[in-house]
């Protein structure tokens, strides 16, 4: 997958959606935020990641120290600012080298890791804006599937790092995307076994299972909408799914 192109595309689509909307509109999936604040968060977030990479940082960067971290007041200039932030990430990776290790919230990783991370961050916030505006959230199936995978990587990584237990020992969660063409990348099995918490692209019977379009699965795992509201098929112990959601905050 071309994550570089996806980052530019998702950032541009996000900006186009918000540009024609009331900036003071509340964003229900990001409590107490408006579209204006969501826009600034996404734009600053891209510049934050770019600065971490370009400075080869080994420690976190205070968001208040991001260069040009606030969008211009002029609407057209603000869109240019947003899109330029995505470009900065790509330039920063090219400058230091994709394999140069830098700080991330999961520990040191290659600078190129941030490209994929920001693609999915922007995509989910694109969903936030679409849900706030009552418009359809469209995302390519392969990108949505990778976003689910990345979210599981983060969720399991942070849970193991914090020694938390979002999934009880012996329990499992199976996610099954119904989109054609995804193959094994459209199924996920989360398990908590003797080796700890982990996941794989595999088919199996989970303690609880969710089935439906991959875009809807993405909204469910990121807690943007409930499985019931999305019309996902749910089989098994729903308490296991609820516990996972309650204990995997970003």
């Amino acid at each position: 997958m071309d994550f570089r192109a996806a980052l530019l595309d998702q950032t541009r689509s996000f900006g186009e959606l918000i540009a024609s909307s009331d900036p003071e509109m509340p964003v229900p999936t990001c409590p107490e935020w408006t579209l204006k604040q969501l826009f600034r968060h996404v734009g600053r977030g891209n510049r934050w990641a770019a600065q971490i990479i370009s400075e080869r940082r080994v420690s976190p960067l205070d968001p208040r120290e991001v260069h040009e971290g606030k969008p211009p007041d002029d609407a057209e200039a603000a869109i240019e600012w947003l899109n330029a932030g995505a470009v900065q990430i790509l330039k920063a990776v090219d400058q230091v080298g994709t394999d140069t290790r830098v700080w991330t919230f999961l520990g040191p990783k290659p600078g190129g890791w941030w490209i994929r991370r920001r693609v999915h961050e922007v995509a989910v916030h694109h969903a936030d804006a679409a849900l706030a505006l009552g418009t359809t959230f469209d995302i390519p199936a392969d990108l949505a599937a990778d976003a689910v995978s990345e979210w599981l990587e983060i969720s399991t990584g942070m849970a193991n790092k914090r020694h938390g237990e979002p999934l009880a020992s012996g329990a499992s969660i199976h996610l099954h995307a119904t989109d054609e063409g995804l193959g094994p990348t459209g199924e996920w099995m989360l398990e908590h076994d003797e080796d700890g918490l982990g996941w794989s692209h595999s088919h199996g019977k989970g303690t609880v299972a969710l089935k439906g379009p991959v875009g809807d699965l993405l909204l469910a795992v990121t807690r943007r909408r409930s499985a019931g509201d999305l019309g996902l098929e749910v089989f098994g112990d729903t308490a296991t799914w609820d516990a996972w959601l309650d204990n995997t905050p970003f």
Side-chain angles (χ1 to χ4, degrees):
M1 185 178 299
D2 187 349
F3 291 115
R4 296 172 68 98
L7 176 59
L8 299 178
D9 289 343
Q10 286 297 315
T11 302
R12 182 171 53 252
S13 297
F14 169 79
E16 289 173 351
L17 179 61
I18 289 188
S20 58
S21 307
D22 178 2
E24 298 305 320
M25 177 172 286
V27 182
T29 49
C30 296
E32 300 183 6
W33 279 14
T34 63
L35 287 178
K36 180 179 180 180
Q37 291 168 310
L38 182 66
F39 181 90
R40 182 177 61 200
H41 171 76
V42 170
R44 178 185 291 171
N46 280 347
R47 289 168 181 265
W48 174 75
Q51 194 169 331
I52 288 171
I53 300 164
S54 64
E55 294 180 354
R56 296 177 170 86
R57 293 188 65 91
V58 295
S59 60
L61 171 65
D62 188 329
R64 294 171 296 183
E65 297 178 3
V66 173
H67 301 322
E68 298 182 348
K70 293 183 179 180
D73 292 331
D74 178 76
E76 290 188 10
I79 293 297
E80 292 178 1
W81 170 87
L82 174 74
N83 292 327
V87 173
Q88 283 185 13
I89 294 177
L90 305 184
K91 288 184 176 180
V93 171
D94 291 342
Q95 173 191 341
V96 307
T98 189
D99 294 326
T100 298
R101 297 178 76 79
V102 299
W103 177 88
T104 82
F105 50 82
L106 293 178
K109 291 187 179 294
W113 177 91
W114 278 108
I115 298 176
R116 181 182 180 224
R117 170 81 286 271
R118 292 306 302 175
V119 169
H120 298 317
E121 176 80 3
V122 176
V124 170
H125 285 317
H126 186 179
D128 289 325
L131 291 170
L133 294 167
T135 62
T136 302
F137 171 58
D138 291 319
I139 182 172
D142 59 343
L143 185 61
D146 190 74
V148 172
S149 297
E150 196 239 12
W151 181 248
L152 296 183
E153 291 169 12
I154 291 174
S155 298
T156 55
M158 295 185 77
N160 287 327
K161 187 176 180 180
R162 295 171 178 170
H163 305 290
E165 289 195 355
L167 190 62
S169 180
S172 59
I173 298 173
H174 181 237
L175 305 175
H176 187 155
T178 54
D179 309 69
E180 294 184 4
L182 290 178
T185 64
E187 292 198 62
W188 302 263
M189 179 64 78
L190 270 157
E191 298 179 281
H192 187 173
D193 56 22
E194 62 274 10
D195 296 322
L197 186 63
W199 71 276
S200 62
H201 284 301
S202 58
H203 182 78
K205 184 177 181 180
T207 307
V208 64
L210 281 74
K211 184 177 181 180
V214 68
D216 290 344
L217 289 175
L218 174 60
L219 295 179
V221 299
T222 56
R223 297 185 299 283
R224 264 47 194 184
R225 292 187 66 191
S226 70
D229 287 344
L230 290 163
L232 294 171
E233 295 183 79
V234 182
F235 309 93
D237 181 23
T238 57
T240 296
W241 175 246
D242 292 339
W244 171 263
L245 294 179
D246 290 342
N247 292 284
T248 53
F250 189 81

